Amino acid sequence: MNNDVSTAETATADLSNLNERELKGRVNELRSRIEKSERQLASIFKELKINRTDIDELKEKRDSLNHQVKERVAKAQSLRDRRDEINKQIGEYKGRRSDVNSKTQELFSGIAGLKEQRDECNKLSHGSVESLSRAYEAELDALLNKELPLAVEIKIVQKLSDLGTRLGAAKKANELHAQIQESYKESKGIHKEGDEFHEKIQALSDESQACHLEMLENFKAADEIRKEANMYHAQLTDKIANINSIKEKIDPLKNSIAGSRKDLSLYLDRLKDLQLTKDEHKVSQKHSDAREKLQKNARLSLEDLKLLIEKGDVKFSTND
């Protein structure tokens, strides 16, 4: 059973029907109710203060972590931009190296062709230019300066023709060999240029990889920190929801206290009226007793005399 006295009940209650004991009971009940509500209200404000302190700490942690996330992401983006810039340079160097490789391939293809021609000439010559030249000069000298039979001369002419052909092939082989040597010399310069491009590409690739790994590390760290920040944000959201829930209890309690005080005031006023009535009855009874004593010429106390004077039952003459 609910013994609380509501404002509506008080407004409609006929307080005149309640005696002093009942009124005092209601007063004590209301005072207890007010004290209980005030304790609850104080407890709520204390809880709010604690929760608000927690909110400030959670906000500080969350904001600090979010700041770290921004720094990590900014660092990672900077590393990504640097990596992309390096990769662009690598692409340019690879293009230039590819041109060098094409030139090298073209040059070695030419060398292979020259070697094939030189080898064919060497097969035809079967000797060096020096040895063939000496043999040719010896045969020619014999043909020009010696008396030889016709058959021998014919053989020498045939031999000179063969030596001439072989000597031409030997000379051509030497020319081709010189071209091959020149091509090899040229290929060394090209190969050196290709090696320089390769070294630059390798160095840039290492730097690009380092930037990439550091970028991934920063993005990963940012994700981990963000998870922690989100955890604090979730706690903060719960705290705010809890505070709002707590604050919803304040107004009903305040209204309840205000209503109880209003009710208490009504009951106290009624008690005061009863006390006044009681005091008036007591004074009236004392006055009646004093008058009775006066009429019987009984001994009057000072209080009796004072009361009779106040009521006009005893008057003093002002005439001398």
Side-chain angles (χ1 to χ4, degrees), residues 46-306:
K46 183 178 180 180
E47 190 176 358
L48 280 176
K49 184 178 180 181
I50 293 172
N51 276 274
R52 282 170 177 156
T53 301
D54 292 342
I55 279 180
D56 291 339
E57 292 177 357
L58 290 170
K59 279 183 177 179
E60 184 178 351
K61 289 178 180 178
R62 180 200 63 184
D63 294 344
S64 175
L65 290 170
N66 282 335
H67 181 69
Q68 292 179 44
V69 169
K70 289 181 180 178
E71 288 182 338
R72 288 282 188 172
V73 170
K75 177 66 174 176
Q77 290 174 340
S78 175
L79 288 164
R80 183 175 59 193
D81 292 342
R82 176 58 184 160
R83 180 204 63 185
D84 293 345
E85 180 184 346
I86 292 171
N87 287 342
K88 183 179 178 182
Q89 293 178 32
I90 290 173
E92 293 173 355
Y93 278 120
K94 281 185 176 179
R96 295 168 69 179
R97 185 182 65 180
S98 179
D99 292 340
V100 168
N101 289 338
S102 296
K103 288 180 181 179
T104 302
Q105 186 64 36
E106 183 180 349
L107 192 60
F108 276 102
S109 296
I111 289 173
L114 291 171
K115 281 184 175 182
E116 187 177 348
Q117 294 179 50
R118 181 197 63 185
D119 292 344
E120 289 296 323
C121 289
N122 285 331
K123 287 179 182 179
L124 183 61
S125 65
H126 290 293
S128 66
V129 172
E130 292 78 8
S131 63
L132 290 171
S133 294
R134 286 195 298 271
Y136 185 86
E137 289 173 359
E139 294 296 331
L140 182 62
D141 181 67
L143 180 65
L144 295 175
N145 299 318
K146 294 181 180 180
E147 292 293 334
L148 300 171
L150 180 60
V152 174
E153 287 182 353
I154 290 172
K155 286 184 179 179
I156 290 174
V157 169
Q158 290 175 346
K159 193 172 184 180
L160 283 172
S161 177
D162 180 61
L163 286 171
T165 299
R166 290 171 62 195
L167 181 59
K171 288 180 178 180
K172 182 63 176 177
N174 284 350
E175 290 176 2
L176 292 170
H177 184 72
Q179 291 179 30
I180 291 171
Q181 293 296 99
E182 188 63 30
S183 294
Y184 271 124
K185 184 178 179 181
E186 184 181 354
S187 71
K188 288 181 180 180
I190 296 174
H191 185 72
K192 182 180 179 182
E193 186 179 8
D195 287 343
E196 290 175 355
F197 287 144
H198 178 75
E199 289 175 2
K200 288 179 180 178
I201 289 169
Q202 190 60 49
L204 288 171
S205 295
D206 292 342
E207 185 178 355
S208 174
Q209 181 68 6
C211 288
H212 181 73
L213 293 176
E214 190 176 354
M215 175 199 73
L216 292 179
E217 182 182 345
N218 276 276
F219 273 130
K220 182 179 179 181
D223 287 340
E224 293 299 323
I225 296 171
R226 187 183 291 109
K227 288 178 184 177
E228 189 176 358
N230 289 341
M231 178 191 70
Y232 284 120
H233 180 74
Q235 292 179 14
L236 180 62
T237 301
D238 290 341
K239 281 287 183 183
I240 291 174
N242 187 40
I243 283 176
N244 291 335
S245 176
I246 293 171
K247 287 168 70 175
E248 289 176 357
K249 302 175 184 178
I250 293 175
D251 286 343
L253 273 174
K254 284 184 175 180
N255 293 334
S256 174
I257 291 171
S260 295
R261 289 187 184 281
K262 185 176 180 181
D263 292 348
L264 180 62
S265 178
L266 292 174
Y267 284 108
L268 290 175
D269 287 345
R270 178 56 183 160
L271 274 175
K272 185 177 180 181
D273 291 341
L274 286 178
Q275 187 63 42
L276 288 174
T277 301
K278 189 175 180 180
D279 291 343
E280 287 176 358
H281 178 73
K282 187 183 292 186
V283 170
S284 177
Q285 184 62 44
K286 286 182 178 180
H287 177 230
S288 177
D289 292 343
R291 287 183 63 185
E292 186 177 349
K293 288 179 183 180
L294 180 63
Q295 290 171 357
K296 293 179 179 181
N297 290 319
R299 185 180 181 83
L300 296 172
S301 67
L302 290 175
E303 184 180 357
D304 292 336
L305 182 60
K306 179 182 178 183

Side-chain angles (χ1 to χ4, degrees), residues 299-318:
R299 185 180 181 83
L300 296 172
S301 67
L302 290 175
E303 184 180 357
D304 292 336
L305 182 60
K306 179 182 178 183
L307 188 57
L308 290 170
I309 293 171
E310 287 176 354
K311 296 295 185 179
D313 295 307
V314 176
K315 297 180 180 179
F316 293 98
S317 175
T318 58

Side-chain angles (χ1 to χ4, degrees), residues 30-52:
L30 284 168
R31 281 175 173 165
S32 296
R33 180 181 175 186
I34 291 170
E35 288 176 1
K36 181 180 178 181
S37 295
E38 285 179 338
R39 285 195 301 271
Q40 290 176 342
L41 196 59
S43 177
I44 287 172
F45 282 122
K46 183 178 180 180
E47 190 176 358
L48 280 176
K49 184 178 180 181
I50 293 172
N51 276 274
R52 282 170 177 156

